[in-house]
Each structure stands twice: as structure tokens, then as C-alpha cells.
Amino acid sequence: QVYLAESGGGLVQTGGSLRLACAASGHTFSSNAMGWFRQAPGKGREFVAAINWNGGTTYYADSVKGRFTISRDNAKNTVYLQMNSLLSEDTAVYYCALNRRTPWGASGDHNVYDYWGQGTQVTVSS
């Protein structure tokens, strides 16, 4: 059983920062790629960022490039999403996900992610 648990969400003002964390258990974390997705009210799931198994490759959605940074600490079985210069458009539930199919890559395709966390709410005030 793979278990992913997000934390770090909250309410911030426009221009503020948050760091999300996703702790993984029940699998060999270091052998898999990880990703972050988000879902805003009334919207579909949107790719945010991804990182391969050793952190050597990252990939970001155009909407967050230059503002968000994904990283991982395999010794702690944790992936992070540092979010800076937050905008109201960033308001969403953020989910981490595990990709065991293409661990060498950093994919924005939700279909390659088989395991998902419960989500953490990020709200950016206007």
C-alpha cells in the first residue's frame, strides 16, 4: 500500500509564499518520479510540477515557471513544492502523486501517476 500525505497548505496574501511537502510511505520512494497537480473550484486537474527519481530532471507548467520550485529529499521520503509570488489563480487543492512507470523522467501527464495524496488546500487572497 502506497501512502502519500501532503501538508503545508494554508491562506496567504497575493505575493506571499508557501512550501508544500508530501511524505511517502509503503514503497521504495527513491525509485520513482513524483509530481504535483492542483484542482481549482469548478476546474479540472492541472499539472504543476514534476521531478524524476534522483532530482536531476524537473518539469513545470508554464503558469508556474519562475515562481514554483519542486525538490525532493530521498533520505526523508519527501517531495516539496516551494511556491513564491503567489497569485489568486494559484488557489486550489494541491495533490502530490507518484509515477512508477517512467521514473527517469519528469512527466506532466496525469496518466502515468498511479498513487495520489489526499490534497492540501492553498488559498491566495486578492
Side-chain angles (χ1 to χ4, degrees):
Q1 180 72 239
V2 175
Y3 177 68
L4 305 175
E6 302 95 335
S7 62
L11 174 64
V12 297
Q13 294 179 304
T14 298
S17 297
L18 284 173
R19 189 175 77 153
L20 307 183
C22 175
S25 62
H27 71 289
T28 305
F29 177 81
S30 63
S31 67
N32 296 291
M34 299 292 293
W36 287 96
F37 292 76
R38 66 188 182 186
Q39 188 162 14
K43 303 293 185 180
R45 182 170 49 192
E46 177 189 21
F47 169 72
V48 177
I51 189 166
N52 78 337
W53 71 277
N54 66 0
T57 300
T58 58
Y59 177 57
Y60 298 92
D62 288 343
S63 60
V64 306
K65 285 180 180 177
R67 300 189 298 121
F68 291 10
T69 302
I70 188 170
S71 62
R72 66 191 298 160
D73 185 343
N74 285 348
K76 297 179 66 67
N77 295 153
T78 302
V79 62
Y80 304 93
L81 185 68
Q82 178 67 47
M83 305 185 294
N84 299 325
S85 302
L86 283 162
L87 306 170
S88 60
E89 302 95 285
D90 297 316
T91 295
V93 176
Y94 283 71
Y95 299 90
C96 69
L98 184 149
N99 166 20
R100 66 180 181 179
R101 306 187 194 191
T102 57
W104 54 87
S107 177
D109 183 358
H110 70 270
N111 291 304
V112 304
Y113 295 90
D114 296 308
Y115 302 96
W116 299 80
Q118 81 286 354
T120 185
Q121 177 71 49
V122 172
T123 302
V124 184
S125 64
S126 301

